[in-house]
Amino acid sequence: MSAALKKSLLSLDSLLAAVNGSLLAECGVKDEAAGFAFAYVVTDSRYVTAGAMFVPLIGENQNGHKYIPQAIESGATVVLVNKSDYEQNNDFYKELVASGKFNAVTVVLVENTLYALQAAAKAYAQKVASNMIRVSITGSSGKTTTKEMLVSVCKKHFGEEAVAYTKGNFNSETGLPLSMFQIRGDEKIGIFEMGMNRKNEIGEISAVWQSQYGIITNIGTAHIGLLGSRENIAQEKRKSFDYIPATGAAFVPAQDDFADYCTEKVCGKVVKFGKSVAPEVSGVTFVEDLGVNGTAFSVDGVQITLPLAGEYNYQNALGVIALAKEIGITPQEIKAGLEGMSAISGRMDIKSIKLKNGSTVKAVCDFYNANLDSMEKVIDFCGKQNNFEQKIFVLADMKELGETSASAHTQIGKAVAQIDASLVILTGPEMKAACTVLSKEKEIAGREVVYFEKNDDAFYEAAASKLLAFAKENALILFKGSHSMALEKLLPLIEDGSSNNSKGAE
């Protein structure tokens, strides 16, 4: 079936009203009778397919409007255009009109294509998701894992096809609106993650989704370089609760010092979760920390083993359990969902791998992202593991910390100094601060510290050679750093290809 014959995600009148737009007089399709319809929404012209609405965005280094011709050639049927771009580059648009490019297209002029994308997504969500349970998840760390846990649990209760949710990392000012357009409309629940890279980004995307239930995993130091303080981060994160109705609920960690601040304006119920919450209140009883194999606990008497390692993942699970119980999911369904979890690639993914030197080791692969909170947590986790012959840390820079970077990396050095790691490999200019701390204590602690200023090809080769020369059978190797430091490139240099994955996550 051609895209033109598909039912449009929004009617033309609904789209124009949502984005406060106006039709370009020279465009060829001005109503449904002439063929107005769009079945997809795309912001990258490379991914335009037949029947798409193309929304070109203007960034610091790129103006998507110049790709309008390619988008139309690829089958875009609707195009949003910034009025300012239309006025400033009028000759470009005159050429498109003269060439006939706009003959079979609806062109809508708007004040700002980013905000128009968000407004259109809001209108679509109100159209198709009004009867769905709407959930948002945000926090400085753990939000993706928390989202995946809740999705897994909800699928056991509502059904595999009845859960709409953020795919991958589409949680930003553009990612969340695009995720909204993936909702079919027959799902029972929608679970969407909200990320933040600038002030009021969460406020904007919260207005798009308007969740009934929301989880804040924690208020940490991620993006502190952008916002300046944890107080400012909390001020932004709590905006995810702005639209929770009296019949909804907000979920916050009981021991977070910003829990009360984040919930002081919530209209609905406030639920606190965490190990400090009494079992008679939460229904959850802690049983045992299983180390790299996860955590054992019970929910209303039902025994559960969470296969994701780390106390912080257990904390995330407690938030999921609290919300799941609030919306009527049974302990048996919670058990099935949580025990069916597996690691998210690059997020505390614990693997048994065979090295090229013949040794089989446990590798803690946590290189998707890094901030002070998440790095301290995984260092602490590895420090508590006592069943390994060696502990080896490969740590790379934490990005986006701004003026707090030096003190944060110094703090990481102090944290590692307390751990019985026999080899510590550090890379990146910011990790120099951690190296300075560790170098002073190297002889006392009996550990070897190797520092590389850059994560270039020479680093990967030298670090891989050092690991293969040093690592013994049953070693624990931690890889942790911001994604841009690309520590994942080390794995194919050290493993022989016959690895078997085990479960873990962050």
PDB file of all heavy atoms in Angstrom, residues 144-182:
ATOM      1  N   THR A 144      17.836   4.443  31.574  1.00  0.00           N
ATOM      2  CA  THR A 144      17.610   3.496  30.488  1.00  0.00           C
ATOM      3  C   THR A 144      17.392   2.083  31.024  1.00  0.00           C
ATOM      4  O   THR A 144      16.485   1.373  30.583  1.00  0.00           O
ATOM      5  CB  THR A 144      18.792   3.507  29.502  1.00  0.00           C
ATOM      6  OG1 THR A 144      18.918   4.813  28.933  1.00  0.00           O
ATOM      7  CG2 THR A 144      18.565   2.509  28.372  1.00  0.00           C
ATOM      8  N   THR A 145      18.195   1.681  31.998  1.00  0.00           N
ATOM      9  CA  THR A 145      18.012   0.365  32.591  1.00  0.00           C
ATOM     10  C   THR A 145      16.664   0.274  33.298  1.00  0.00           C
ATOM     11  O   THR A 145      15.961  -0.739  33.201  1.00  0.00           O
ATOM     12  CB  THR A 145      19.146   0.056  33.581  1.00  0.00           C
ATOM     13  OG1 THR A 145      20.383   0.063  32.879  1.00  0.00           O
ATOM     14  CG2 THR A 145      18.955  -1.295  34.231  1.00  0.00           C
ATOM     15  N   THR A 146      16.291   1.321  34.024  1.00  0.00           N
ATOM     16  CA  THR A 146      14.990   1.348  34.698  1.00  0.00           C
ATOM     17  C   THR A 146      13.863   1.228  33.683  1.00  0.00           C
ATOM     18  O   THR A 146      12.894   0.474  33.897  1.00  0.00           O
ATOM     19  CB  THR A 146      14.834   2.649  35.508  1.00  0.00           C
ATOM     20  OG1 THR A 146      15.883   2.723  36.472  1.00  0.00           O
ATOM     21  CG2 THR A 146      13.492   2.707  36.216  1.00  0.00           C
ATOM     22  N   LYS A 147      13.992   1.939  32.583  1.00  0.00           N
ATOM     23  CA  LYS A 147      12.982   1.852  31.516  1.00  0.00           C
ATOM     24  C   LYS A 147      12.885   0.434  30.974  1.00  0.00           C
ATOM     25  O   LYS A 147      11.778  -0.112  30.819  1.00  0.00           O
ATOM     26  CB  LYS A 147      13.325   2.835  30.392  1.00  0.00           C
ATOM     27  CG  LYS A 147      12.357   2.832  29.227  1.00  0.00           C
ATOM     28  CD  LYS A 147      12.935   2.239  27.936  1.00  0.00           C
ATOM     29  CE  LYS A 147      14.265   2.787  27.562  1.00  0.00           C
ATOM     30  NZ  LYS A 147      14.806   2.300  26.306  1.00  0.00           N
ATOM     31  N   GLU A 148      14.015  -0.185  30.717  1.00  0.00           N
ATOM     32  CA  GLU A 148      14.003  -1.540  30.171  1.00  0.00           C
ATOM     33  C   GLU A 148      13.412  -2.537  31.163  1.00  0.00           C
ATOM     34  O   GLU A 148      12.703  -3.471  30.781  1.00  0.00           O
ATOM     35  CB  GLU A 148      15.417  -1.958  29.759  1.00  0.00           C
ATOM     36  CG  GLU A 148      15.979  -1.187  28.578  1.00  0.00           C
ATOM     37  CD  GLU A 148      15.211  -1.425  27.291  1.00  0.00           C
ATOM     38  OE1 GLU A 148      14.654  -2.524  27.126  1.00  0.00           O
ATOM     39  OE2 GLU A 148      15.161  -0.514  26.440  1.00  0.00           O
ATOM     40  N   MET A 149      13.715  -2.369  32.448  1.00  0.00           N
ATOM     41  CA  MET A 149      13.117  -3.238  33.468  1.00  0.00           C
ATOM     42  C   MET A 149      11.599  -3.089  33.492  1.00  0.00           C
ATOM     43  O   MET A 149      10.862  -4.087  33.519  1.00  0.00           O
ATOM     44  CB  MET A 149      13.678  -2.885  34.852  1.00  0.00           C
ATOM     45  CG  MET A 149      15.045  -3.421  35.161  1.00  0.00           C
ATOM     46  SD  MET A 149      15.360  -3.262  36.947  1.00  0.00           S
ATOM     47  CE  MET A 149      16.915  -2.453  36.930  1.00  0.00           C
ATOM     48  N   LEU A 150      11.127  -1.843  33.494  1.00  0.00           N
ATOM     49  CA  LEU A 150       9.679  -1.610  33.561  1.00  0.00           C
ATOM     50  C   LEU A 150       8.993  -2.120  32.310  1.00  0.00           C
ATOM     51  O   LEU A 150       7.897  -2.697  32.386  1.00  0.00           O
ATOM     52  CB  LEU A 150       9.399  -0.121  33.767  1.00  0.00           C
ATOM     53  CG  LEU A 150       7.932   0.252  33.978  1.00  0.00           C
ATOM     54  CD1 LEU A 150       7.348  -0.476  35.186  1.00  0.00           C
ATOM     55  CD2 LEU A 150       7.782   1.764  34.141  1.00  0.00           C
ATOM     56  N   VAL A 151       9.606  -1.942  31.160  1.00  0.00           N
ATOM     57  CA  VAL A 151       9.037  -2.468  29.916  1.00  0.00           C
ATOM     58  C   VAL A 151       8.902  -3.983  30.003  1.00  0.00           C
ATOM     59  O   VAL A 151       7.862  -4.560  29.642  1.00  0.00           O
ATOM     60  CB  VAL A 151       9.905  -2.066  28.704  1.00  0.00           C
ATOM     61  CG1 VAL A 151       9.511  -2.857  27.458  1.00  0.00           C
ATOM     62  CG2 VAL A 151       9.773  -0.565  28.432  1.00  0.00           C
ATOM     63  N   SER A 152       9.952  -4.659  30.494  1.00  0.00           N
ATOM     64  CA  SER A 152       9.928  -6.113  30.599  1.00  0.00           C
ATOM     65  C   SER A 152       8.814  -6.576  31.533  1.00  0.00           C
ATOM     66  O   SER A 152       8.083  -7.531  31.230  1.00  0.00           O
ATOM     67  CB  SER A 152      11.287  -6.621  31.102  1.00  0.00           C
ATOM     68  OG  SER A 152      11.320  -8.025  31.171  1.00  0.00           O
ATOM     69  N   VAL A 153       8.657  -5.887  32.658  1.00  0.00           N
ATOM     70  CA  VAL A 153       7.603  -6.231  33.619  1.00  0.00           C
ATOM     71  C   VAL A 153       6.222  -5.979  33.019  1.00  0.00           C
ATOM     72  O   VAL A 153       5.310  -6.818  33.132  1.00  0.00           O
ATOM     73  CB  VAL A 153       7.789  -5.430  34.919  1.00  0.00           C
ATOM     74  CG1 VAL A 153       6.552  -5.526  35.805  1.00  0.00           C
ATOM     75  CG2 VAL A 153       9.027  -5.922  35.683  1.00  0.00           C
ATOM     76  N   CYS A 154       6.059  -4.839  32.373  1.00  0.00           N
ATOM     77  CA  CYS A 154       4.750  -4.481  31.811  1.00  0.00           C
ATOM     78  C   CYS A 154       4.340  -5.406  30.669  1.00  0.00           C
ATOM     79  O   CYS A 154       3.148  -5.682  30.480  1.00  0.00           O
ATOM     80  CB  CYS A 154       4.752  -3.029  31.349  1.00  0.00           C
ATOM     81  SG  CYS A 154       4.704  -1.843  32.723  1.00  0.00           S
ATOM     82  N   LYS A 155       5.309  -5.907  29.922  1.00  0.00           N
ATOM     83  CA  LYS A 155       4.976  -6.847  28.855  1.00  0.00           C
ATOM     84  C   LYS A 155       4.391  -8.139  29.417  1.00  0.00           C
ATOM     85  O   LYS A 155       3.550  -8.773  28.777  1.00  0.00           O
ATOM     86  CB  LYS A 155       6.210  -7.131  27.997  1.00  0.00           C
ATOM     87  CG  LYS A 155       6.554  -6.011  27.028  1.00  0.00           C
ATOM     88  CD  LYS A 155       7.744  -6.380  26.143  1.00  0.00           C
ATOM     89  CE  LYS A 155       7.996  -5.306  25.096  1.00  0.00           C
ATOM     90  NZ  LYS A 155       9.144  -5.659  24.216  1.00  0.00           N
ATOM     91  N   LYS A 156       4.847  -8.523  30.607  1.00  0.00           N
ATOM     92  CA  LYS A 156       4.306  -9.734  31.234  1.00  0.00           C
ATOM     93  C   LYS A 156       2.855  -9.526  31.671  1.00  0.00           C
ATOM     94  O   LYS A 156       2.074 -10.475  31.701  1.00  0.00           O
ATOM     95  CB  LYS A 156       5.158 -10.136  32.441  1.00  0.00           C
ATOM     96  CG  LYS A 156       6.602 -10.474  32.105  1.00  0.00           C
ATOM     97  CD  LYS A 156       6.708 -11.606  31.091  1.00  0.00           C
ATOM     98  CE  LYS A 156       8.162 -11.915  30.761  1.00  0.00           C
ATOM     99  NZ  LYS A 156       8.284 -12.972  29.719  1.00  0.00           N
ATOM    100  N   HIS A 157       2.502  -8.300  31.993  1.00  0.00           N
ATOM    101  CA  HIS A 157       1.146  -8.003  32.465  1.00  0.00           C
ATOM    102  C   HIS A 157       0.200  -7.630  31.319  1.00  0.00           C
ATOM    103  O   HIS A 157      -0.907  -8.176  31.226  1.00  0.00           O
ATOM    104  CB  HIS A 157       1.205  -6.846  33.466  1.00  0.00           C
ATOM    105  CG  HIS A 157      -0.138  -6.431  33.996  1.00  0.00           C
ATOM    106  ND1 HIS A 157      -0.828  -7.171  34.936  1.00  0.00           N
ATOM    107  CD2 HIS A 157      -0.922  -5.353  33.712  1.00  0.00           C
ATOM    108  CE1 HIS A 157      -1.974  -6.566  35.209  1.00  0.00           C
ATOM    109  NE2 HIS A 157      -2.058  -5.464  34.485  1.00  0.00           N
ATOM    110  N   PHE A 158       0.652  -6.717  30.457  1.00  0.00           N
ATOM    111  CA  PHE A 158      -0.228  -6.193  29.409  1.00  0.00           C
ATOM    112  C   PHE A 158      -0.128  -6.961  28.090  1.00  0.00           C
ATOM    113  O   PHE A 158      -1.044  -6.915  27.277  1.00  0.00           O
ATOM    114  CB  PHE A 158       0.086  -4.722  29.138  1.00  0.00           C
ATOM    115  CG  PHE A 158      -0.193  -3.806  30.292  1.00  0.00           C
ATOM    116  CD1 PHE A 158       0.839  -3.324  31.087  1.00  0.00           C
ATOM    117  CD2 PHE A 158      -1.483  -3.414  30.593  1.00  0.00           C
ATOM    118  CE1 PHE A 158       0.591  -2.473  32.149  1.00  0.00           C
ATOM    119  CE2 PHE A 158      -1.749  -2.556  31.654  1.00  0.00           C
ATOM    120  CZ  PHE A 158      -0.710  -2.091  32.440  1.00  0.00           C
ATOM    121  N   GLY A 159       1.001  -7.646  27.869  1.00  0.00           N
ATOM    122  CA  GLY A 159       1.226  -8.339  26.608  1.00  0.00           C
ATOM    123  C   GLY A 159       2.364  -7.717  25.824  1.00  0.00           C
ATOM    124  O   GLY A 159       2.650  -6.516  25.957  1.00  0.00           O
ATOM    125  N   GLU A 160       3.024  -8.520  25.015  1.00  0.00           N
ATOM    126  CA  GLU A 160       4.218  -8.088  24.283  1.00  0.00           C
ATOM    127  C   GLU A 160       3.968  -6.876  23.389  1.00  0.00           C
ATOM    128  O   GLU A 160       4.816  -5.997  23.267  1.00  0.00           O
ATOM    129  CB  GLU A 160       4.745  -9.253  23.421  1.00  0.00           C
ATOM    130  CG  GLU A 160       5.451 -10.335  24.201  1.00  0.00           C
ATOM    131  CD  GLU A 160       6.805  -9.899  24.727  1.00  0.00           C
ATOM    132  OE1 GLU A 160       7.462  -9.072  24.078  1.00  0.00           O
ATOM    133  OE2 GLU A 160       7.196 -10.385  25.801  1.00  0.00           O
ATOM    134  N   GLU A 161       2.791  -6.826  22.749  1.00  0.00           N
ATOM    135  CA  GLU A 161       2.517  -5.750  21.787  1.00  0.00           C
ATOM    136  C   GLU A 161       1.758  -4.590  22.409  1.00  0.00           C
ATOM    137  O   GLU A 161       1.386  -3.648  21.702  1.00  0.00           O
ATOM    138  CB  GLU A 161       1.722  -6.312  20.603  1.00  0.00           C
ATOM    139  CG  GLU A 161       2.441  -7.414  19.848  1.00  0.00           C
ATOM    140  CD  GLU A 161       3.763  -6.955  19.273  1.00  0.00           C
ATOM    141  OE1 GLU A 161       3.812  -5.812  18.759  1.00  0.00           O
ATOM    142  OE2 GLU A 161       4.745  -7.711  19.343  1.00  0.00           O
ATOM    143  N   ALA A 162       1.509  -4.654  23.717  1.00  0.00           N
ATOM    144  CA  ALA A 162       0.661  -3.654  24.363  1.00  0.00           C
ATOM    145  C   ALA A 162       1.458  -2.565  25.080  1.00  0.00           C
ATOM    146  O   ALA A 162       0.886  -1.753  25.799  1.00  0.00           O
ATOM    147  CB  ALA A 162      -0.287  -4.330  25.349  1.00  0.00           C
ATOM    148  N   VAL A 163       2.791  -2.551  24.875  1.00  0.00           N
ATOM    149  CA  VAL A 163       3.644  -1.587  25.555  1.00  0.00           C
ATOM    150  C   VAL A 163       4.383  -0.731  24.522  1.00  0.00           C
ATOM    151  O   VAL A 163       5.156  -1.247  23.718  1.00  0.00           O
ATOM    152  CB  VAL A 163       4.669  -2.289  26.472  1.00  0.00           C
ATOM    153  CG1 VAL A 163       5.472  -1.249  27.253  1.00  0.00           C
ATOM    154  CG2 VAL A 163       3.973  -3.244  27.428  1.00  0.00           C
ATOM    155  N   ALA A 164       4.124   0.575  24.548  1.00  0.00           N
ATOM    156  CA  ALA A 164       4.887   1.519  23.732  1.00  0.00           C
ATOM    157  C   ALA A 164       6.018   2.065  24.600  1.00  0.00           C
ATOM    158  O   ALA A 164       5.818   2.312  25.790  1.00  0.00           O
ATOM    159  CB  ALA A 164       3.996   2.658  23.250  1.00  0.00           C
ATOM    160  N   TYR A 165       7.198   2.246  24.013  1.00  0.00           N
ATOM    161  CA  TYR A 165       8.318   2.693  24.849  1.00  0.00           C
ATOM    162  C   TYR A 165       9.441   3.277  24.001  1.00  0.00           C
ATOM    163  O   TYR A 165       9.490   3.085  22.778  1.00  0.00           O
ATOM    164  CB  TYR A 165       8.855   1.547  25.695  1.00  0.00           C
ATOM    165  CG  TYR A 165       9.326   0.329  24.923  1.00  0.00           C
ATOM    166  CD1 TYR A 165      10.670   0.152  24.591  1.00  0.00           C
ATOM    167  CD2 TYR A 165       8.425  -0.650  24.517  1.00  0.00           C
ATOM    168  CE1 TYR A 165      11.101  -0.962  23.895  1.00  0.00           C
ATOM    169  CE2 TYR A 165       8.837  -1.764  23.815  1.00  0.00           C
ATOM    170  CZ  TYR A 165      10.179  -1.918  23.509  1.00  0.00           C
ATOM    171  OH  TYR A 165      10.599  -3.021  22.804  1.00  0.00           O
ATOM    172  N   THR A 166      10.322   4.004  24.670  1.00  0.00           N
ATOM    173  CA  THR A 166      11.487   4.583  24.013  1.00  0.00           C
ATOM    174  C   THR A 166      12.363   3.483  23.442  1.00  0.00           C
ATOM    175  O   THR A 166      12.785   2.576  24.162  1.00  0.00           O
ATOM    176  CB  THR A 166      12.327   5.396  25.022  1.00  0.00           C
ATOM    177  OG1 THR A 166      11.500   6.375  25.638  1.00  0.00           O
ATOM    178  CG2 THR A 166      13.485   6.081  24.321  1.00  0.00           C
ATOM    179  N   LYS A 167      12.650   3.557  22.157  1.00  0.00           N
ATOM    180  CA  LYS A 167      13.577   2.624  21.526  1.00  0.00           C
ATOM    181  C   LYS A 167      14.976   3.239  21.563  1.00  0.00           C
ATOM    182  O   LYS A 167      15.166   4.401  21.212  1.00  0.00           O
ATOM    183  CB  LYS A 167      13.163   2.337  20.078  1.00  0.00           C
ATOM    184  CG  LYS A 167      11.722   1.825  19.909  1.00  0.00           C
ATOM    185  CD  LYS A 167      11.492   0.508  20.611  1.00  0.00           C
ATOM    186  CE  LYS A 167      10.201  -0.158  20.168  1.00  0.00           C
ATOM    187  NZ  LYS A 167       8.978   0.629  20.453  1.00  0.00           N
ATOM    188  N   GLY A 168      15.935   2.439  21.985  1.00  0.00           N
ATOM    189  CA  GLY A 168      17.304   2.937  22.037  1.00  0.00           C
ATOM    190  C   GLY A 168      17.424   4.104  22.995  1.00  0.00           C
ATOM    191  O   GLY A 168      16.937   4.066  24.114  1.00  0.00           O
ATOM    192  N   ASN A 169      18.040   5.189  22.533  1.00  0.00           N
ATOM    193  CA  ASN A 169      18.288   6.344  23.388  1.00  0.00           C
ATOM    194  C   ASN A 169      17.543   7.578  22.880  1.00  0.00           C
ATOM    195  O   ASN A 169      18.016   8.698  23.008  1.00  0.00           O
ATOM    196  CB  ASN A 169      19.803   6.617  23.450  1.00  0.00           C
ATOM    197  CG  ASN A 169      20.174   7.467  24.649  1.00  0.00           C
ATOM    198  OD1 ASN A 169      19.586   7.344  25.711  1.00  0.00           O
ATOM    199  ND2 ASN A 169      21.150   8.341  24.475  1.00  0.00           N
ATOM    200  N   PHE A 170      16.354   7.381  22.308  1.00  0.00           N
ATOM    201  CA  PHE A 170      15.570   8.484  21.757  1.00  0.00           C
ATOM    202  C   PHE A 170      14.819   9.187  22.882  1.00  0.00           C
ATOM    203  O   PHE A 170      13.611   9.070  23.007  1.00  0.00           O
ATOM    204  CB  PHE A 170      14.601   7.951  20.698  1.00  0.00           C
ATOM    205  CG  PHE A 170      15.177   7.912  19.313  1.00  0.00           C
ATOM    206  CD1 PHE A 170      16.330   7.193  19.045  1.00  0.00           C
ATOM    207  CD2 PHE A 170      14.587   8.622  18.283  1.00  0.00           C
ATOM    208  CE1 PHE A 170      16.876   7.155  17.781  1.00  0.00           C
ATOM    209  CE2 PHE A 170      15.124   8.596  16.999  1.00  0.00           C
ATOM    210  CZ  PHE A 170      16.269   7.865  16.747  1.00  0.00           C
ATOM    211  N   ASN A 171      15.565   9.958  23.699  1.00  0.00           N
ATOM    212  CA  ASN A 171      14.973  10.557  24.891  1.00  0.00           C
ATOM    213  C   ASN A 171      15.154  12.064  24.971  1.00  0.00           C
ATOM    214  O   ASN A 171      14.924  12.667  26.013  1.00  0.00           O
ATOM    215  CB  ASN A 171      15.560   9.903  26.148  1.00  0.00           C
ATOM    216  CG  ASN A 171      17.066  10.111  26.274  1.00  0.00           C
ATOM    217  OD1 ASN A 171      17.666  10.884  25.531  1.00  0.00           O
ATOM    218  ND2 ASN A 171      17.684   9.427  27.220  1.00  0.00           N
ATOM    219  N   SER A 172      15.551  12.679  23.864  1.00  0.00           N
ATOM    220  CA  SER A 172      15.926  14.089  23.877  1.00  0.00           C
ATOM    221  C   SER A 172      14.800  14.987  23.355  1.00  0.00           C
ATOM    222  O   SER A 172      13.678  14.545  23.112  1.00  0.00           O
ATOM    223  CB  SER A 172      17.161  14.291  22.996  1.00  0.00           C
ATOM    224  OG  SER A 172      16.821  14.007  21.644  1.00  0.00           O
ATOM    225  N   GLU A 173      15.141  16.257  23.151  1.00  0.00           N
ATOM    226  CA  GLU A 173      14.183  17.238  22.634  1.00  0.00           C
ATOM    227  C   GLU A 173      13.628  16.840  21.273  1.00  0.00           C
ATOM    228  O   GLU A 173      12.495  17.192  20.921  1.00  0.00           O
ATOM    229  CB  GLU A 173      14.852  18.610  22.545  1.00  0.00           C
ATOM    230  CG  GLU A 173      16.065  18.630  21.633  1.00  0.00           C
ATOM    231  CD  GLU A 173      16.835  19.925  21.666  1.00  0.00           C
ATOM    232  OE1 GLU A 173      16.466  20.833  22.442  1.00  0.00           O
ATOM    233  OE2 GLU A 173      17.828  20.035  20.916  1.00  0.00           O
ATOM    234  N   THR A 174      14.422  16.091  20.509  1.00  0.00           N
ATOM    235  CA  THR A 174      13.932  15.566  19.227  1.00  0.00           C
ATOM    236  C   THR A 174      13.582  14.091  19.336  1.00  0.00           C
ATOM    237  O   THR A 174      12.626  13.633  18.724  1.00  0.00           O
ATOM    238  CB  THR A 174      14.989  15.750  18.120  1.00  0.00           C
ATOM    239  OG1 THR A 174      16.213  15.104  18.509  1.00  0.00           O
ATOM    240  CG2 THR A 174      15.251  17.217  17.860  1.00  0.00           C
ATOM    241  N   GLY A 175      14.352  13.352  20.122  1.00  0.00           N
ATOM    242  CA  GLY A 175      14.142  11.906  20.228  1.00  0.00           C
ATOM    243  C   GLY A 175      12.798  11.541  20.811  1.00  0.00           C
ATOM    244  O   GLY A 175      12.115  10.639  20.313  1.00  0.00           O
ATOM    245  N   LEU A 176      12.386  12.233  21.891  1.00  0.00           N
ATOM    246  CA  LEU A 176      11.102  11.894  22.501  1.00  0.00           C
ATOM    247  C   LEU A 176       9.930  12.191  21.560  1.00  0.00           C
ATOM    248  O   LEU A 176       9.051  11.346  21.391  1.00  0.00           O
ATOM    249  CB  LEU A 176      10.915  12.597  23.838  1.00  0.00           C
ATOM    250  CG  LEU A 176       9.617  12.168  24.537  1.00  0.00           C
ATOM    251  CD1 LEU A 176       9.863  11.722  25.957  1.00  0.00           C
ATOM    252  CD2 LEU A 176       8.590  13.278  24.503  1.00  0.00           C
ATOM    253  N   PRO A 177       9.863  13.367  20.909  1.00  0.00           N
ATOM    254  CA  PRO A 177       8.778  13.572  19.948  1.00  0.00           C
ATOM    255  C   PRO A 177       8.740  12.524  18.841  1.00  0.00           C
ATOM    256  O   PRO A 177       7.663  12.044  18.463  1.00  0.00           O
ATOM    257  CB  PRO A 177       9.071  14.962  19.382  1.00  0.00           C
ATOM    258  CG  PRO A 177       9.818  15.656  20.459  1.00  0.00           C
ATOM    259  CD  PRO A 177      10.660  14.592  21.097  1.00  0.00           C
ATOM    260  N   LEU A 178       9.905  12.156  18.321  1.00  0.00           N
ATOM    261  CA  LEU A 178       9.928  11.115  17.290  1.00  0.00           C
ATOM    262  C   LEU A 178       9.425   9.793  17.842  1.00  0.00           C
ATOM    263  O   LEU A 178       8.754   9.027  17.133  1.00  0.00           O
ATOM    264  CB  LEU A 178      11.346  10.965  16.728  1.00  0.00           C
ATOM    265  CG  LEU A 178      11.859  12.150  15.901  1.00  0.00           C
ATOM    266  CD1 LEU A 178      13.317  11.949  15.521  1.00  0.00           C
ATOM    267  CD2 LEU A 178      11.019  12.347  14.637  1.00  0.00           C
ATOM    268  N   SER A 179       9.730   9.506  19.118  1.00  0.00           N
ATOM    269  CA  SER A 179       9.229   8.291  19.749  1.00  0.00           C
ATOM    270  C   SER A 179       7.706   8.324  19.863  1.00  0.00           C
ATOM    271  O   SER A 179       7.039   7.291  19.725  1.00  0.00           O
ATOM    272  CB  SER A 179       9.839   8.121  21.149  1.00  0.00           C
ATOM    273  OG  SER A 179      11.229   7.880  21.075  1.00  0.00           O
ATOM    274  N   MET A 180       7.156   9.507  20.122  1.00  0.00           N
ATOM    275  CA  MET A 180       5.692   9.630  20.220  1.00  0.00           C
ATOM    276  C   MET A 180       5.014   9.162  18.935  1.00  0.00           C
ATOM    277  O   MET A 180       3.966   8.511  18.961  1.00  0.00           O
ATOM    278  CB  MET A 180       5.290  11.080  20.482  1.00  0.00           C
ATOM    279  CG  MET A 180       5.728  11.678  21.802  1.00  0.00           C
ATOM    280  SD  MET A 180       5.055  10.888  23.259  1.00  0.00           S
ATOM    281  CE  MET A 180       6.372   9.759  23.680  1.00  0.00           C
ATOM    282  N   PHE A 181       5.603   9.502  17.814  1.00  0.00           N
ATOM    283  CA  PHE A 181       5.009   9.147  16.524  1.00  0.00           C
ATOM    284  C   PHE A 181       5.105   7.651  16.223  1.00  0.00           C
ATOM    285  O   PHE A 181       4.535   7.185  15.235  1.00  0.00           O
ATOM    286  CB  PHE A 181       5.649   9.959  15.393  1.00  0.00           C
ATOM    287  CG  PHE A 181       5.186  11.386  15.348  1.00  0.00           C
ATOM    288  CD1 PHE A 181       6.060  12.416  15.657  1.00  0.00           C
ATOM    289  CD2 PHE A 181       3.884  11.702  15.003  1.00  0.00           C
ATOM    290  CE1 PHE A 181       5.640  13.748  15.617  1.00  0.00           C
ATOM    291  CE2 PHE A 181       3.445  13.017  14.965  1.00  0.00           C
ATOM    292  CZ  PHE A 181       4.328  14.049  15.275  1.00  0.00           C
ATOM    293  N   GLN A 182       5.827   6.899  17.074  1.00  0.00           N
ATOM    294  CA  GLN A 182       5.894   5.452  16.906  1.00  0.00           C
ATOM    295  C   GLN A 182       4.729   4.744  17.596  1.00  0.00           C
ATOM    296  O   GLN A 182       4.520   3.544  17.413  1.00  0.00           O
ATOM    297  CB  GLN A 182       7.213   4.919  17.476  1.00  0.00           C
ATOM    298  CG  GLN A 182       8.456   5.451  16.790  1.00  0.00           C
ATOM    299  CD  GLN A 182       8.539   5.049  15.332  1.00  0.00           C
ATOM    300  OE1 GLN A 182       8.312   3.896  14.993  1.00  0.00           O
ATOM    301  NE2 GLN A 182       8.863   6.001  14.473  1.00  0.00           N
TER     302      GLN A 182
END
